[in-house]
Amino acid sequence: MVKFPENFYFGSATSSTQSEGAHSIDGKGKDIWDLWYEEEPFKFHDEIGPENTSTFYKNYKSDIQLLKKTGHNSFRTSISWSRMFPEGYGEVNEKAVAFYRDVFEEMRKNDIEPFVNLFHFDMPVAMQEIGGWENREVVNHYAAFAKKCFELFGDIVKRWFTFNEPIVHVECGYLQQYHYPCKVDPKAAVQVAYHTALASALAIKEYHALNQGGKIGIVLNLTPAYPRSENPADVKAAQIAELFANKSFLDPSVKGEYDPMLIEIIKKHDLMPTYTEEDNAVIKENTVDFLGVNYYQPVRVCARASLPNPEAPFMPSYYYDPYVMPGRKMNPYRGWEIYPRGIYDIAINIKENYGNIEWMITENGMGVENEERFRVDGQIQDDYRIEFYKDHLTWLAKGIEAGSNCVGYHVWTFIDCWSWLNAYKNRYGLIELDLETQERRIKKSGYWFNELNKNHGF
Ligand code: BGP
């Protein structure tokens, strides 16, 4: 049997934008997803926008009962900044306060530990209009929002995260055009990354000053970078991919400083951000108490086959080509490699290079298209998902056995949810969502997950 400690956190994660719906009522201000959908709805799968996400705002009480039924002892969601502060700062929206307070209380009543994140790709439009993360002032507004959340909910929320996958809004928003503002501007990307690390550190500072007896961390999507071969050119390519994809936030978050090699590359390309020594000191002194790790796929790279175009805007891939490993296992619906052993490598990396800090898996999952074809007697038989979890949990258990300080495993996600540009194309849930009726039906994996928690393993 693959066993986990009795007090291990088993649960799942979602985010406010992807689950609440109700984007235009009860005083919520617009976030960049509302704005982008208004401007370019054709970019969203089936043209489904954030207004139509899975109605958690309305159904949270019955959804929390479903969390119970599927064996959750913990659950992560996020607080929408623009629901709390429609203008990004100023007067707090009392309806939002009442909603989140009730959600967290309801979870506590049902013995579900709330893990609460403060930023999941959802910049308020009012903040984006003044430059978003490019603007140092927005960092202060974020810190004030974070502080208000700690004051309002810190008595019942004891596990906080400052950001979800910060590298994603940097890369997707400022290099690759998968997120608003869809810029291709490497200099802005570096500034946004620096300001995000600073915002996280400032929120941590505020939290620690309040002495509420909980813990605060950050959620990073770690994608271990593997070289094609031991050839020194391939190894160097992987080392640089690792710097950009993982160390760019892992190092400032856990160690309070950047890897000198990353700084050297940024300088070489004339991309240094504007910063002050005072802000560097904030990053240095306010590191995380624990770490959340989202793991979906590794990164495989090799030395570049051709010289980069000197005229092209800088991308980290200046230093490597993607490598397609023969025989790799794929999730064809998402185009992501499935490599369960990566979770073990992450566990050992954290143990050996990051002071064995307390950490947990905050997302792991598999999105599948057209899941209706797996319905038997009304229930979706998602055995592939159960296999996916088992394979990853097996490697996670090996990492824990080797001494890595992992305290939990959250899957993505509990009810099929809206996935940014992919909307409802790929389904990830333990529970099926009927888009027409909003009815929820537990999948085979949901019942399996319940057993997993009950037995502390499988
Ligand atoms: C993570 C995000 C989630 C979620 C998940 C699945 O990167 O934190 O918000 O969406 O990936 O990815 P996708 O929805 O793009 O298929």
Side-chain angles (χ1 to χ4, degrees):
M1 199 177 167
V2 178
K3 270 281 183 194
F4 293 89
E6 297 262 318
N7 57 354
F8 204 66
Y9 291 114
F10 279 114
S12 66
T14 190
S15 74
S16 56
T17 308
Q18 291 173 279
S19 63
E20 288 171 6
H23 262 221
S24 54
I25 63 163
D26 286 351
K28 182 183 172 298
K30 281 184 189 165
D31 64 39
I32 51 174
W33 296 93
D34 302 307
L35 175 68
W36 195 14
Y37 182 66
E38 268 170 34
E39 289 179 356
E40 299 185 298
F42 57 89
K43 286 198 176 163
F44 294 73
H45 185 76
D46 282 345
E47 298 210 4
I48 300 177
E51 177 67 29
N52 291 314
T53 57
S54 48
T55 56
F56 184 73
Y57 191 78
K58 194 165 135 218
N59 293 308
Y60 65 95
K61 286 214 165 122
S62 46
D63 282 353
I64 289 170
Q65 289 313 307
L66 287 171
L67 291 176
K68 280 241 70 115
K69 273 200 176 153
T70 46
H72 287 64
N73 62 19
S74 47
F75 177 61
R76 170 166 69 106
T77 188
S78 64
I79 294 178
S80 157
W81 182 357
S82 60
R83 197 182 287 289
M84 290 288 284
F85 291 98
E87 293 304 318
Y89 64 97
E91 280 289 294
V92 70
N93 172 10
E94 289 303 339
K95 288 205 168 140
V97 176
F99 166 66
Y100 288 116
R101 176 104 213 149
D102 214 36
V103 168
F104 305 143
E105 276 176 0
E106 194 68 20
M107 284 167 66
R108 281 252 170 258
K109 260 193 252 161
N110 285 281
D111 297 321
I112 296 168
E113 180 79 33
F115 283 73
V116 177
N117 171 34
L118 294 167
F119 190 90
H120 199 123
F121 313 155
D122 54 345
M123 181 62 86
V125 168
M127 296 286 92
Q128 194 63 47
E129 277 170 351
I130 58 167
W133 292 120
E134 287 179 71
N135 183 350
R136 176 64 180 79
E137 207 186 318
V138 169
V139 174
N140 286 346
H141 291 317
Y142 166 84
F145 153 64
K147 184 178 180 200
K148 191 74 186 171
C149 291
F150 305 145
E151 287 169 352
L152 288 165
F153 312 121
D155 56 331
I156 42 173
V157 175
K158 296 295 172 192
R159 291 272 187 171
W160 292 93
F161 290 115
T162 57
F163 283 87
N164 176 79
E165 302 189 350
I167 193 70
V168 170
H169 67 248
V170 174
E171 284 192 327
C172 293
Y174 296 85
L175 296 178
Q176 294 165 353
Q177 300 188 305
Y178 288 111
H179 282 199
Y180 204 81
C182 311
K183 289 189 180 179
V184 180
D185 184 343
K187 182 114 180 138
V190 175
Q191 189 69 61
V192 164
Y194 179 76
H195 279 160
T196 303
L198 176 63
S200 177
L202 275 176
I204 293 169
K205 187 177 178 191
E206 296 288 3
Y207 185 66
H208 286 159
L210 290 169
N211 256 320
Q212 295 182 328
K215 292 185 181 183
I216 186 160
I218 191 166
V219 172
L220 302 179
N221 50 317
L222 297 185
T223 50
Y226 299 106
R228 168 178 59 185
S229 73
E230 289 310 307
N231 183 297
D234 285 344
V235 171
K236 186 168 177 206
Q239 193 188 2
I240 296 179
E242 181 73 19
L243 281 179
F244 281 98
N246 302 315
K247 295 188 82 170
S248 53
F249 278 98
L250 196 48
D251 284 18
S253 302
V254 180
K255 298 180 175 173
E257 58 195 23
Y258 288 95
D259 189 302
M261 189 175 171
L262 181 62
I263 298 177
E264 203 183 296
I265 294 174
I266 295 294
K267 277 191 179 149
K268 182 176 149 197
H269 292 272
D270 199 18
L271 297 172
M272 279 297 275
T274 306
Y275 67 93
T276 64
E277 284 312 323
E278 206 186 332
D279 285 347
N280 282 350
V282 170
I283 293 175
K284 178 87 205 158
E285 286 154 21
N286 299 282
T287 55
V288 293
D289 302 328
F290 77 119
L291 199 60
V293 175
N294 294 354
Y295 177 67
Y296 290 92
Q297 56 168 346
V299 168
R300 295 190 192 276
V301 295
C302 56
R304 281 189 65 113
S306 57
L307 288 174
N309 172 3
E311 307 271 296
F314 175 80
M315 302 277 159
S317 56
Y318 182 95
Y319 289 99
Y320 53 80
D321 278 341
Y323 168 59
V324 176
M325 183 180 74
R328 68 180 183 165
K329 189 174 167 191
M330 290 296 288
N331 171 355
Y333 315 103
R334 191 61 179 84
W336 286 347
E337 182 182 339
I338 298 176
Y339 185 63
R341 200 205 143 102
I343 236 172
Y344 175 81
D345 293 339
I346 289 171
I348 301 304
N349 183 29
I350 293 173
K351 176 176 171 242
E352 288 179 356
N353 302 315
Y354 292 90
N356 207 14
I357 190 170
E358 182 183 276
W359 70 284
M360 64 185 283
I361 288 288
T362 33
E363 282 182 35
N364 179 229
M366 187 182 177
V368 172
E369 213 167 336
N370 294 326
E371 276 202 316
E372 311 82 64
R373 65 199 143 122
F374 302 110
R375 191 188 307 285
V376 178
D377 295 334
Q379 187 191 65
I380 289 179
Q381 306 289 303
D382 50 346
D383 293 279
Y384 42 86
R385 181 165 290 114
I386 298 172
E387 284 314 303
F388 180 97
Y389 294 153
K390 278 185 178 171
D391 291 347
H392 285 82
L393 282 165
T394 301
W395 279 106
L396 182 60
K398 286 184 195 179
I400 295 172
E401 208 179 295
S404 191
N405 189 14
C406 177
V407 298
Y409 176 79
H410 280 183
V411 299
W412 184 268
T413 183
F414 84 126
I415 297 175
D416 291 337
C417 74
W418 182 83
S419 277
W420 314 110
L421 297 185
N422 280 332
Y424 287 100
K425 176 179 163 290
N426 302 318
R427 303 303 185 95
Y428 283 87
L430 297 167
I431 297 165
E432 178 195 0
L433 177 73
D434 185 320
L435 279 194
E436 294 297 311
T437 62
Q438 290 292 309
E439 198 187 321
R440 282 91 157 123
R441 292 183 282 262
I442 300 178
K443 300 179 194 173
K444 186 172 177 184
S445 61
Y447 291 107
W448 178 83
F449 203 74
N450 186 36
E451 290 298 306
L452 171 73
N453 188 9
K454 226 188 329 185
N455 302 324
H456 310 292
F458 60 93

